[in-house]
Amino acid sequence: MSEGEFPTLATARVAIVGLGLIGGSLALALRPHCATLLGVDPDPQARAWAQRRARFDAVAADPAAVLPQANVVLLAAPVSAILRLIPRLPRWVRGPALVLDVGSTKGAIAQALAQLPPPLQAVGGHPMAGKALAGAKHAEATLFQGAPFALVDLPNTGPLARRLALDIVAALGAHPIWIEASAHDEAVAAVSHLPYLLALALTLATPEEAAALLGPGFRSASRLAGSPPNLMADIVGHNLPALRRALARFRQSLAKIEAALENPSARAALFAHGQQAHTRLLARARQEPPLLSKPS
């Protein structure tokens, strides 16, 4: 494949499949950087938003109506929908193109993307950004700024596709991190999916009689419980092995806390250890290099 055949971001005809919070935010952020912006969503309200606010060149309910025009395809649908879409892409995308997903788990998606034939090139992706609110009406062009953006190198990822994926991440204002699909899923089980389950458990364990005393502590700790339930059920269902391991580690931590509660010195020591661990985690997050070398 020659340099002239593969798009740059400036010449890209970008199709975003899925115009919810993430897809809508991608559209707002990328509109100034690409030549053409196309949208696909079965929801008429999402398509109306796209035409009204994001200045799409074309929007359709049927992928077949716009994907033949695209040379960059961003899959921003739920994980199950992405997995249904990937095998059909070769019917619609007819020339050299980058396929980049932004699904919340990478294992099954990376396997499916790796099966795409030439001239399609694929990169797995996942921006660590979002809100506990659904829908394009909550989209923001700045949603990804400063956020880590996981990228998964695949057998059909060539250097041009890799460069274009990095250019897209840069246009979003995010920090690219190359990572293996399995390592990604282990990490997000701990830092994204488990926190959702803990927020859910906290919410379900709180009596309604306590509502009058809800303060910032409960609101921040339980915020993720307000996430769209169908979306979270889909995400969690695609990362169960890693999530079970994360839950096991949490149960061990909870057992240590319960054992220390009755002993003032043990309690104080454990709480101090927790504060130190929190400080170290945040410091490590700030110190991580914005770009890791491509996996060998």
Side-chain angles (χ1 to χ4, degrees):
M1 181 179 297
S2 72
E3 194 79 38
E5 291 175 317
F6 205 79
T8 64
L9 184 54
T11 64
R13 300 184 300 276
V14 176
I16 301 174
V17 183
L19 302 178
L21 170 67
I22 298 299
S25 296
L26 287 170
L28 293 173
L30 293 176
R31 173 71 276 188
H33 302 281
C34 62
T36 303
L37 188 62
L38 311 166
V40 180
D41 200 291
D43 183 358
Q45 291 186 340
R47 297 197 303 274
W49 172 90
Q51 292 169 329
R52 181 176 68 253
R53 186 175 169 208
R55 296 187 291 124
F56 279 80
D57 296 285
V59 183
D62 184 358
V66 298
L67 290 191
Q69 306 171 51
N71 53 19
V72 173
V73 178
L74 303 182
L75 300 176
V79 174
S80 292
I82 290 174
L83 290 170
R84 290 192 297 269
L85 282 163
I86 290 171
R88 305 175 69 186
L89 291 178
R91 306 181 206 171
W92 298 321
V93 186
R94 296 166 184 166
L98 168 68
V99 178
L100 172 66
D101 87 283
V102 292
S104 298
T105 62
K106 294 274 68 74
I109 290 177
Q111 291 178 16
L113 288 174
Q115 303 305 311
L116 288 174
L120 302 183
Q121 297 191 43
V123 176
H126 180 207
M128 296 303 296
K131 304 177 183 179
L133 298 167
K137 65 183 179 180
H138 300 293
E140 296 178 7
T142 58
L143 183 68
F144 310 103
Q145 288 187 1
F149 197 117
L151 293 170
V152 178
D153 196 65
L154 301 167
N156 55 0
T157 307
L160 300 178
R162 198 172 295 119
R163 182 68 259 167
L164 180 53
L166 289 173
D167 288 344
I168 290 171
V169 173
L172 299 176
H175 299 310
I177 298 178
W178 292 101
I179 188 170
E180 296 290 340
S182 58
H184 167 276
D185 288 355
E186 287 290 336
V188 296
V191 303
S192 180
H193 307 161
L194 179 62
Y196 167 74
L197 295 184
L198 301 187
L200 181 64
L202 174 62
T203 300
L204 294 176
T206 302
E208 291 191 8
E209 293 77 9
L213 296 178
L214 293 188
F218 179 89
R219 292 178 190 277
S220 61
S222 65
R223 177 183 63 86
L224 292 177
S227 301
N230 292 340
L231 177 64
M232 294 309 303
D234 183 65
I235 292 170
V236 166
H238 285 282
N239 205 23
L240 288 177
L243 188 50
R244 290 191 189 101
R245 289 187 284 273
L247 280 166
R249 292 191 298 271
F250 176 76
R251 282 193 291 267
Q252 292 172 356
S253 292
L254 190 60
K256 290 180 182 178
I257 293 170
E258 289 178 323
L261 286 180
E262 302 299 330
N263 184 317
S265 60
R267 186 171 66 231
L270 184 61
F271 289 0
H273 177 67
Q275 183 189 49
Q276 293 162 7
H278 182 260
T279 300
R280 286 196 304 272
L281 278 172
L282 295 184
R284 175 75 180 269
R286 288 191 294 269
Q287 292 168 4
E288 284 294 334
L291 177 60
L292 304 184
S293 60
K294 183 182 78 67
S296 57

